[in-house]
Structures are given as structure tokens and as C-alpha cells.
Amino acid sequence: MNYRHILSRYGITIVFVAMIIVASILSPYFLQLGNIINVVRQISIIAIAGFGVTFIMISGGIDLAIGSVIALTGVIAASFAHPNQFPVIVPILIGLLVGALTGLVSGSIIVFGKIPPFIATLGMMISARGLALIYTDGKPITNFSKSFDFIGEGLIFNIPFMIYILIITLCISHFILRHTKIGKYIYAIGGNEQAAIVSGINVTKILLFVYSYGGLLSGLSGILLASRISAGHPTAAVSYELDAIASAVIGGTSLSGGVGTVWGTLIGALIIGVLNNILDLLHVSAYWQQVLKGVIIVGAILLDRIKTLNTNEDGR
């Protein structure tokens, strides 16, 4: 195995480890357990949404509606989460259902309407945000039950409950992608959709599943965010779709489809989280943090492009 293959396969992990080493040198507070837990908790919502968009990108698509769907599901779930109103399972299931439904709608438009994913999900992004504003009349929804607050604020063995949800979602997503026929079909469709059709794969059903699953995880992120900030806010999660897509791309998911893992997406989200955290510890301006994040995203896309070109050259 030459250095190119090593960098291609383990490059993002090497970068992540290097960042941790540099961060620990720059700030003595970075490796404190409380800070590490805080970083993981902060990236949990983006990472979970990122797992969903990873499925979509592997299939050859994209989802620009993530932030708006998070806001919509957050306000709807919040409206059913008041004290002594319903058991906590009700707002959770409603939020997940709404999220999955938005994904199904986007997927249906793409599959049956033959609309490019970029356009279809852009339309959903605008519509979902509008529906969130209509549903709340532009006002945040507050006053949650203690059990709903626990989702985003609770601790189990001094570890935030959100981190357990992150781990469970990661394991489920990994299992689907790597150990089921659906996962194999998703990779096949992203690699070559026409070849997948010829081989007998029901592309329509798989794509509907992919977008529904992405919407489901956006719904879960919306529930977590509403609980975390103690409010279902219709203007929340602006640009979250960019962070989720960036996490996937940084983690090695190809914009061309057919390549990617949820583990890589988790590392991508952690890289963004570590970068934000160390810049905060060093009191770097939030404006510069945005600039650096943009540079990292562009760099990740360039690396993906170079890796794709190298793969094509090796295959000749």
C-alpha cells in the first residue's frame, strides 16, 4: 500500500489526530474531560443530521433543506411537549414523523418529478422554513415538560443524554450502510445509477428510503435542538445544512456519489467542533472562525476532487 492509498484511506483520521495534538499544545484546557464532553455535545445535532445527508450524498443526491426541517420539526414537537399535556414519546414520534415526511416529499419530487435534488431540496428548504413561521406565527414555543427537557439537557453517568443518542444513531446508520442490502444498493446507485437499474435494483424505493431517512434524522436533530435551547424556534438552525454537508464532505463522502461512511462524517463533525472549540479557547473572533471553516470546506472538496481524479487514473 503506497502513500497515496494511505492518505486516501486514513488521511482524515490523521488530520483529526493532528488537530487534537495541536489543540492540546495551544490550550491546556482542551484535553480536560469537561471540555471534550462539551465538544461532542455541541456537534451531536450537526453530526446526526450529517449521517442523514451522508446517505443522500452516497446515493448521488444532496439535501439543502436540513436546517429548515430541523426548525419545522422542532416547533411542531415543542407544541406537544408542554407539562401535563402528552407523554414525552408523543412529541418525539410526531417530530420524527414530520421529518421523515418532509424527506419523503423531497424524494418523491426527485424520483417522480425528475427534478434535480438541488432544486427539489432548495424548494423544501424555503417551504419548510415558511411552514415553521406559519405554525408559530413567528414566535418561539417554550414551557416544556421535564422529560422533554431531559432529552437535550439530561445526564446519565455525567454524560449528556444527547451523546448516547448520537452513538445509537451512528451505530444504526453504520449498520444499515454496511450490513444490509439497502446499504449496498445505496452505494451502487451512487456509483452508477443506470448500472443499478440494469442489475435489478429498485432505485425508486431506495431513493425514497434515503431521503425519508435523511428527513427522519433531521427531525431527530430538531427535537434535540428544541430541547437543548428550551424553545422551538422557527428561525433556528439557519445554515445547519451547510455544517452537516461540510461534515460529510470533510469526512470523505464524495459529492459525486458512491463513496462515504457515517464514521467519516462523525470525524468531519468533530474536526469542525474541535476547530471551533480551540478558537474559542484562544479567544479568536467568531468572524475568523467562519473564514477558517470555509477554507476547510473548500480544501475538503479539493481533496475529494483530487482523490476522484487519481481513482479514475488508476482505473485506466
Side-chain angles (χ1 to χ4, degrees), residues 73-295:
T73 55
V75 298
I76 292 177
S79 67
F80 291 89
H82 300 306
N84 303 316
Q85 186 181 23
F86 296 103
V88 70
I89 191 64
V90 173
I92 292 174
L93 290 178
I94 289 175
L96 294 176
L97 179 61
V98 171
L101 182 61
T102 61
L104 180 61
V105 171
S106 294
S108 298
I109 294 171
I110 293 165
V111 171
F112 299 115
K114 306 301 181 183
I115 303 297
F118 181 91
I119 301 300
T121 58
L122 177 63
M124 178 57 72
M125 177 182 74
I126 298 170
S127 298
R129 183 69 67 179
L131 288 172
L133 290 166
I134 292 170
Y135 189 81
T136 62
D137 196 25
K139 302 173 183 177
I141 298 174
T142 57
N143 186 30
F144 299 150
S145 65
K146 291 183 178 179
S147 54
F148 190 80
D149 279 333
F150 181 84
I151 298 172
E153 295 289 342
L155 300 174
I156 297 179
F157 302 118
N158 291 323
I159 297 176
F161 185 59
M162 288 177 62
I163 295 180
Y164 292 99
I165 296 176
L166 170 67
I167 294 171
I168 292 170
T169 308
L170 171 68
C171 293
I172 292 173
S173 300
H174 173 75
F175 179 81
I176 293 172
L177 274 180
R178 290 297 183 179
H179 301 287
T180 69
K181 287 185 178 180
I182 292 176
K184 294 177 182 178
Y185 294 162
I186 292 171
Y187 281 102
I189 292 170
N192 190 322
E193 184 173 335
Q194 291 303 315
I197 293 173
V198 172
S199 65
I201 296 174
N202 191 325
V203 173
T204 296
K205 287 185 178 180
I206 297 300
L207 289 180
L208 290 177
F209 167 79
V210 164
Y211 281 93
S212 297
Y213 188 71
L216 179 77
L217 294 191
S218 292
L220 177 57
S221 296
I223 295 167
L224 292 173
L225 180 61
S227 176
R228 181 78 178 93
I229 65 176
S230 298
H233 208 298
T235 59
V238 173
S239 81
Y240 272 39
E241 61 277 354
L242 300 182
D243 286 338
I245 293 171
S247 297
V249 173
I250 292 170
T253 301
S254 174
L255 291 168
S256 303
V259 176
T261 66
V262 290
W263 286 98
T265 299
L266 176 63
I267 294 177
L270 285 170
I271 285 176
I272 293 175
V274 168
L275 177 65
N276 291 336
N277 181 254
I278 192 60
L279 292 176
D280 285 338
L281 291 175
L282 295 175
H283 306 292
V284 176
S285 167
Y287 304 138
W288 277 108
Q289 293 185 29
Q290 292 296 317
V291 172
L292 290 173
K293 187 186 296 184
V295 170

Side-chain angles (χ1 to χ4, degrees), residues 33-47:
L33 180 60
N35 186 61
I36 297 298
I37 290 176
N38 184 52
V39 170
V40 179
R41 176 166 56 183
Q42 287 180 345
I43 63 96
S44 293
I45 293 171
I46 292 299

